[in-house]
């Protein structure tokens, strides 16, 4: 898909004009240093900004750097993560901090290839980190970016591939200030969802997320929350959780090394 200069300029003007009058305040934007960017990006995976803001503040107050996070026990990190869901992300972030300290002398890598070797950081998260932390013009796709491109360039199309979306993102990217440009795209995408609803189902990559209530994710979260206060026996967890899938959940959490079990005693991994 080849866009004309006029199309690109018109699109940029629309997005940037909205941003000029409706920029959202976020702590990781006001202070976009690498550690804050990494924490925010991993927290924002599948979680809305309004839920992340208060958790981010508490997390940064307790763990202000890669060094402090790496030195902390995983159990404490998991405890602070309660309420954000997808607890594996807490383990990934903790593991990333350890690798940054051990492999990179405390300095986050400045290239995509090395970033994607860190736990929980895929190509799009790595691209976001490069843009936000280092202001490097890297092409990446996330939910709001996808939503904006679908709305503006593919209004009447279904099953739009990420390949097509990536072509548009590449051509419209402001290479002189990618950090601000992606922030503007994020905010415009958020605005579009409020005004027109979520259009993301028109993307070929769309996968419907299961309902949280009654899901395994809910049971996992309850187990983590219970263990954050004190170790428990399996019998105690059975009484407190009261869900026939508990054995399955405990097996998952143990396999992911989020919990430790020994002689019927279950606790968060250290």
């Amino acid at each position: 898909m080849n866009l004309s200069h006029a199309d690109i300029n018109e699109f940029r003007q629309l997005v940037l004009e909205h941003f000029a009058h409706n920029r959202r305040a976020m702590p990781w934007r006001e202070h976009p240093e690498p550690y804050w960017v990494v924490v925010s990006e991993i927290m924002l995976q599948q979680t809305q900004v309004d839920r992340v803001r208060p958790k981010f503040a508490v997390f940064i107050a307790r763990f202000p750097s890669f060094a402090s996070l790496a030195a902390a026990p995983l159990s404490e990190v998991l405890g602070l993560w309660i309420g954000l869901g997808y607890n594996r992300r807490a383990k990934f972030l903790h593991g990333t901090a350890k690798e940054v300290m051990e492999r990179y002398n405390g300095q986050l890598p400045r290239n995509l290839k090395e970033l994607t070797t860190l736990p929980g950081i895929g190509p799009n998260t790595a691209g976001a980190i490069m843009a936000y932390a280092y202001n490097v013009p890297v092409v990446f796709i996330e939910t709001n970016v996808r939503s904006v491109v679908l709305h503006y360039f593919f209004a009447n199309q279904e099953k739009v591939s990420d390949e097509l979306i990536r072509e548009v993102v590449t051509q419209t990217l402001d290479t002189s200030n990618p950090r601000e440009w992606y922030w503007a795209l994020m905010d415009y995408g958020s605005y579009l969802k409020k005004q027109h609803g979520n259009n993301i189902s028109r993307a070929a990559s769309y996968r419907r997320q299961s309902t949280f209530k009654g899901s395994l994710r809910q049971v996992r979260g309850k187990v983590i929350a219970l263990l954050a206060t004190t170790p428990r026996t399996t019998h105690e967890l059975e009484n407190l959780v009261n869900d026939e899938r508990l054995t399955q959940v405990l097996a998952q959490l143990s396999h992911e090394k989020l919990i430790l079990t020994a002689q019927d005693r279950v606790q968060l991994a250290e």
Side-chain angles (χ1 to χ4, degrees), residues 20-247:
H21 295 95
N22 301 279
R23 175 176 176 149
R24 295 181 294 173
M26 301 176 193
W28 49 89
R29 288 185 179 181
E30 306 309 316
H31 188 57
E33 60 96 9
Y35 177 66
W36 283 39
V37 169
V38 170
V39 172
S40 65
E41 284 302 310
I42 293 182
M43 283 188 170
L44 287 164
Q45 291 172 356
Q46 299 176 293
T47 306
Q48 295 178 342
V49 169
D50 288 344
R51 286 179 59 202
V52 168
R53 278 196 186 98
K55 283 290 184 179
F56 180 86
V58 172
F59 198 91
I60 290 296
R62 172 60 188 87
F63 308 119
S65 64
F66 283 118
S68 59
L69 179 56
L74 176 58
S75 57
E76 186 176 358
V77 179
L78 288 169
L80 279 185
W81 199 268
I82 291 170
L84 284 175
Y86 298 97
N87 293 289
R88 280 175 293 186
R89 293 180 300 164
K91 187 173 187 297
F92 290 150
L93 183 54
H94 187 244
T96 286
K98 285 182 172 293
E99 293 203 24
V100 168
M101 296 306 298
E102 293 169 4
R103 292 169 52 195
Y104 299 105
N105 297 315
Q107 300 299 311
L108 188 72
R110 297 179 67 100
N111 67 76
L112 286 170
K113 184 177 181 180
E114 288 183 301
L115 283 172
T116 55
T117 68
L118 298 172
I121 298 182
N124 287 323
T125 299
I129 292 169
M130 290 294 293
Y132 297 139
Y134 302 127
N135 206 23
V136 173
V138 172
V139 173
F140 70 92
I141 302 173
E142 69 85 59
T143 302
N144 277 352
V145 171
R146 190 179 282 112
S147 184
V148 172
V149 172
L150 287 169
H151 175 84
Y152 191 91
F153 294 98
F154 301 100
N156 300 310
Q157 296 187 39
E158 301 287 333
K159 302 298 181 183
V160 180
S161 70
D162 272 3
E163 181 180 357
L164 280 175
I165 293 172
R166 182 173 290 274
E167 288 179 12
V168 172
V169 174
T170 301
Q171 293 178 65
T172 57
L173 177 60
D174 180 355
T175 57
S176 64
N177 195 350
R179 177 188 286 139
E180 291 273 339
W181 171 246
Y182 276 116
W183 285 343
L185 277 178
M186 300 298 164
D187 288 2
Y188 192 58
S190 177
Y191 161 77
L192 289 176
K193 288 176 185 177
K194 292 175 182 176
Q195 294 297 311
H196 304 287
N198 198 339
N199 64 0
I200 209 68
S201 62
R202 293 197 290 108
S205 61
Y206 172 74
R207 299 292 181 272
R208 184 179 180 85
Q209 187 177 15
S210 62
T211 303
F212 178 72
K213 187 175 181 179
S215 67
L216 280 179
R217 288 186 290 123
Q218 186 178 36
V219 180
R220 287 167 59 98
K222 188 170 185 179
V223 169
I224 294 292
L226 287 168
L227 295 178
T229 57
T230 184
R232 311 274 183 173
T233 66
T234 304
H235 181 66
E236 286 175 326
L237 287 174
E238 288 171 349
N239 290 332
L240 292 167
V241 175
N242 192 26
D243 192 293
E244 62 184 11
R245 298 167 295 177
L246 177 62
T247 300

